[in-house]
Amino acid sequence: MKIRLVNNGIFTPIESINDTLIPPSNGFYWIDADVDDLIVLQPLFGLHDLAVEDCLTEEEQRPKLEIYENQYFLVINSIRFDDEEIFLRALNIFLGRHYLITVTRQRINELRSVKPILWEQEVDSSDRFLYHLVDIVVDNYISVGDRIEARIESLEEDILMHTKKSHLTEIIGLRSEILWLKKVLGPQRELIATLNKKDLRLIDNELQKYFGDIHENAVKIYETFETYRDLMGNLREAYQSSLANRANEIMRVFTALTTIFMPLTFITGIYGMNFDYIPGMHYSFGSVVLIGCMAVIGIGMFYFFRKKDWL
């Protein structure tokens, strides 16, 4: 657990958790904790049992805002994409008048990214910290969306150039990830709308208006992932169409080769019959002439098919 006094964007480490119980003359306390630290934090700050239970559960939490007497409890999902799988990590936040507690199970990059912004913006209140933190989380969704779009374009190009069976697995996997993520984005969008519109006494009225801009970005992201879902459907159709075209191409080659060998098979069939007299059978160079004729027929048909673009 790390405890810091944040005043005008300047971080001052605090040694004792008991010092955070008294509001500072300037700034606020940021307590960055693990789930195990809730044993200490719950009695000190009066954290609600249901909120603590949500932090401790290992199941995925739906983004939400719970309003208690002296504090708010928020659950926001951080996102990470490693080109193969999308990961969501719950960021639990307790917002008080003079403190902000973040509780996580894994390392979340947004908590590190927000530090220079707090210093640059000279943040000195917990609600402004919350605003910048939510803004970074939403911006990361935009960044991940751009990477997913690039992955879709790359996959589409690979399918059109060199269709493989593994492409179908990638399409199904990526589409499932997008559908799953889209279900999460709906509640998160509603959460940000609540921060923008609902009367929240722990968040400054002027600051609440800025949450409206974040909400617009959240709506755009939701619509973008809706588009990605449709693109994945088109990508699957392109894969099936590419397979069908490839099968047609192979069948066209086989048909052309079969057609070329049909007259050659007919000729060899005739000369394989047990008749006493077959033209050219008893000539000295009869076999050479026959093979030459077969070669001319085969090569002639081959070039004819090439000229017609059938082969």
Side-chain angles (χ1 to χ4, degrees):
M1 178 169 54
K2 296 180 180 179
I3 309 170
R4 307 176 182 90
L5 171 64
V6 183
N7 183 22
N8 292 327
I10 299 175
F11 294 85
T12 303
I14 303 297
E15 296 296 333
S16 175
I17 185 64
N18 293 322
D19 294 341
T20 63
L21 299 178
I22 301 174
S25 55
N26 293 298
F28 67 98
Y29 294 109
W30 173 25
I31 303 171
D32 188 14
D34 298 326
V35 291
D36 296 334
D37 299 321
L38 290 171
I39 298 176
V40 176
L41 296 174
Q42 183 177 11
L44 289 177
F45 291 92
L47 306 182
H48 198 280
D49 292 339
L50 293 177
V52 173
E53 183 180 347
D54 287 338
C55 295
L56 294 176
T57 182
E58 295 184 0
E59 298 179 359
E60 293 179 4
Q61 290 295 311
R62 177 186 175 94
K64 62 181 179 179
L65 168 64
E66 298 289 347
I67 299 176
Y68 300 112
E69 184 177 356
N70 297 318
Q71 62 190 216
Y72 301 155
F73 173 64
L74 300 91
V75 179
I76 301 175
N77 285 319
S78 168
I79 188 173
R80 184 169 63 87
F81 181 51
D82 63 358
D83 295 333
E84 293 183 0
E85 189 174 359
I86 298 173
F87 297 95
L88 290 180
R89 294 176 174 175
L91 174 57
N92 305 293
I93 303 172
F94 292 92
L95 176 68
R97 181 68 68 181
H98 72 280
Y99 64 86
L100 186 140
I101 303 173
T102 54
V103 182
T104 58
R105 284 186 172 275
Q106 303 94 359
R107 183 186 300 273
I108 292 182
N109 294 331
E110 285 84 348
L111 293 178
R112 291 183 295 175
S113 303
V114 76
K115 293 179 183 179
I117 296 177
L118 299 179
W119 178 80
E120 181 181 351
Q121 298 295 325
E122 298 183 352
V123 173
D124 59 357
S125 63
S126 57
D127 54 351
R128 288 188 62 194
F129 185 170
L130 176 65
Y131 163 75
H132 289 294
L133 184 56
V134 174
D135 188 33
I136 291 178
V137 170
V138 173
D139 285 345
N140 279 347
Y141 276 86
I142 298 176
S143 176
V144 169
D146 292 339
R147 294 179 60 189
I148 291 176
E149 183 177 3
R151 181 72 187 108
I152 293 174
E153 292 176 355
S154 175
L155 190 57
E156 181 180 15
E157 184 177 347
D158 289 343
I159 289 173
L160 295 177
M161 297 297 295
H162 307 286
T163 306
K164 302 176 182 178
K165 291 183 178 180
S166 60
H167 286 150
L168 182 59
T169 304
E170 293 184 53
I171 292 173
I172 294 174
L174 187 56
R175 185 175 184 273
S176 299
E177 295 285 345
I178 291 173
L179 288 175
W180 167 66
L181 184 58
K182 183 173 172 290
K183 292 180 181 179
V184 176
L185 285 173
Q188 190 139 300
R189 178 188 57 179
E190 296 171 3
L191 166 63
I192 299 173
T194 302
L195 293 174
N196 171 229
K197 298 178 180 179
K198 192 169 183 176
D199 184 19
L200 302 172
R201 60 185 179 82
L202 294 183
I203 299 179
D204 185 81
N205 292 333
E206 290 298 322
L207 183 61
Q208 272 194 278
K209 299 177 182 179
Y210 288 92
F211 280 103
D213 183 62
I214 301 178
H215 179 254
E216 290 180 5
N217 291 335
V219 172
K220 291 178 183 178
I221 294 169
Y222 184 85
E223 294 173 349
T224 298
F225 277 89
E226 180 76 24
T227 303
Y228 292 158
R229 186 193 66 173
D230 296 336
L231 289 177
M232 295 309 299
N234 296 337
L235 205 58
R236 185 167 183 173
E237 292 178 1
Y239 170 81
Q240 295 173 340
S241 177
S242 180
L243 282 184
N245 291 336
R246 185 178 179 184
N248 291 336
E249 185 70 21
I250 294 174
M251 290 304 299
R252 184 173 66 173
V253 173
F254 285 166
T255 302
L257 292 176
T258 302
T259 305
I260 291 174
F261 278 94
M262 282 179 62
L264 307 184
T265 305
F266 176 75
I267 294 173
T268 56
I270 291 178
Y271 277 84
M273 299 174 68
N274 294 323
F275 290 128
D276 292 334
Y277 177 74
I278 297 178
M281 179 68 74
H282 301 292
Y283 292 159
S284 301
F285 298 99
S287 60
V288 176
V289 173
L290 181 62
I291 293 173
C293 291
M294 293 171 64
V296 170
I297 292 173
I299 294 173
M301 293 183 68
F302 175 79
Y303 279 104
F304 176 76
F305 289 159
R306 287 294 298 271
K307 184 177 180 181
K308 293 292 187 179
D309 198 25
W310 294 346
L311 190 65

